[in-house]
Amino acid sequence: MTKQVRINTETGEVTAKREHPAPIHQPAVWYDEKRDAAPEFNPDTEVIEQDNKLVGDKYVYGFKKRNRTEQELADLLRTKWAEVRIKRDQLLKDSDFTQLDDSPADKLAWKTYRQQLRDITNQTDPGNITWPVKPE
């Protein structure tokens, strides 16, 4: 049995102790332990980074929380807007048939809906989009 401790890497405080058989053939146990040790964070403004250390003769899994850099925030915003556009483009594509001459759909209602989809990027927060309601 291997003795293990979980240490808060910011304070050095031991937060948990256990004995573990350390089976080499079951690495999933280690992954679960890493997830358990990760602190809560706001993914919109913070990042969690691994901070594994050798403490004495023991290898300790740890995590550090830090604020996102300006570049990371800008990249995240760009990614969120790209995801919104992908969804918007798919909704437009799915409603293309409504604008065909022989379509039985209410063309005016669908035209309004499609314009609302195009105007989605005028909203300010890509994480809180108000999507238009599809006509019946």
Side-chain angles (χ1 to χ4, degrees):
M1 297 276 232
T2 303
K3 292 184 179 181
Q4 296 177 324
V5 294
R6 184 182 299 157
I7 297 177
N8 180 325
T9 56
E10 293 176 2
T11 64
E13 175 188 2
V14 174
T15 59
K17 294 181 181 182
R18 73 176 188 175
E19 289 193 13
H20 191 276
I24 295 171
H25 60 283
Q26 293 181 350
V29 172
W30 295 106
Y31 298 136
D32 290 342
E33 185 66 20
K34 287 180 185 179
R35 275 197 297 273
D36 291 346
E40 291 186 23
F41 72 107
N42 179 348
D44 291 334
T45 59
E46 298 173 319
V47 175
I48 298 295
E49 296 175 336
Q50 265 191 347
D51 184 31
N52 302 332
K53 295 181 179 180
L54 192 60
V55 178
D57 62 343
K58 305 288 184 203
Y59 190 71
V60 180
Y61 292 103
F63 297 89
K64 279 188 179 177
K65 178 169 54 171
R66 67 168 175 80
N67 291 329
R68 288 186 182 271
T69 64
E70 290 299 319
Q71 183 63 50
E72 288 172 329
L73 290 170
D75 292 344
L76 182 61
L77 187 62
R78 243 187 321 277
T79 300
K80 285 183 178 184
W81 276 118
E83 291 168 356
V84 168
R85 286 185 183 94
I86 289 168
K87 180 177 178 179
R88 185 260 328 257
D89 292 348
Q90 186 61 50
L91 290 171
L92 282 168
K93 186 177 177 182
D94 291 346
S95 65
D96 280 349
F97 77 95
T98 65
Q99 300 306 296
L100 297 174
D101 289 336
D102 60 351
S103 173
D106 179 353
K107 288 197 184 348
L108 182 58
W110 280 96
K111 184 177 180 179
T112 302
Y113 168 74
R114 290 168 57 83
Q115 186 58 50
Q116 290 170 339
L117 286 174
R118 289 184 192 96
D119 293 339
I120 284 290
T121 55
N122 294 338
Q123 295 184 35
T124 58
D125 182 4
N128 190 23
I129 294 293
T130 302
W131 293 94
V133 177
K134 189 185 302 186
E136 304 253 343

